[in-house]
Amino acid sequence: MKQQLSDYGIFVDHIPIRCDNRNVINLSKNPLQHSRTKHIEIRHHFLRDHVQKGDCVLEFVDTKNQLADIYTKPLLKETFFAIRRELGLLDVNDLDK
């Protein structure tokens, strides 16, 4: 992701990833292998390694403020419009005004 951003002329030290699960954030910070986490897939270990290297940072976001929901869930009209506004996306109808 850092490479792709640098191709567009955007240079960042670390990539923020917003997550609404505190256990996942704590697990990424703790390098110890717990018996209850043996089932975690390789891709999650890959992410944990990058968090430990400082390439990305996991930040807590409350569930109701999770912007990714616009892409993953059916939302109420008001919630959809609020998230769309947060993302800086415009409605086609707003362009006429």
Side-chain angles (χ1 to χ4, degrees):
M1 184 181 260
K2 283 175 81 170
Q3 179 61 46
Q4 189 172 11
L5 288 173
S6 67
D7 291 344
Y8 292 108
I10 302 170
F11 300 97
V12 292
D13 292 330
H14 60 275
I15 304 210
I17 300 176
R18 293 176 177 88
C19 180
D20 62 353
N21 188 331
R22 290 186 196 266
N23 290 331
V24 169
I25 295 171
N26 291 335
L27 188 60
S28 72
K29 294 177 183 177
N30 187 358
L32 297 177
Q33 231 6 21
H34 297 286
S35 62
R36 291 168 46 182
T37 61
K38 287 183 181 178
H39 68 282
I40 295 178
E41 297 179 27
I42 298 297
R43 64 183 172 169
H44 296 103
H45 292 293
F46 175 80
L47 180 61
R48 185 183 66 190
D49 292 342
H50 280 284
V51 168
Q52 290 175 353
K53 284 192 242 176
D55 293 337
C56 60
V57 175
L58 293 178
E59 299 174 353
F60 178 76
V61 175
D62 191 23
T63 302
K64 60 184 174 183
N65 297 323
Q66 186 62 268
L67 298 180
D69 286 350
I70 198 169
Y71 302 112
T72 60
K73 297 179 182 175
L75 300 171
L76 296 173
K77 188 176 182 179
E78 297 79 23
T79 307
F80 177 82
F81 290 150
I83 291 175
R84 187 180 65 185
R85 193 171 33 257
E86 282 289 320
L87 290 172
L89 301 174
L90 296 175
D91 186 8
V92 175
N93 297 327
D94 293 340
L95 297 175
D96 295 334
K97 298 177 183 177

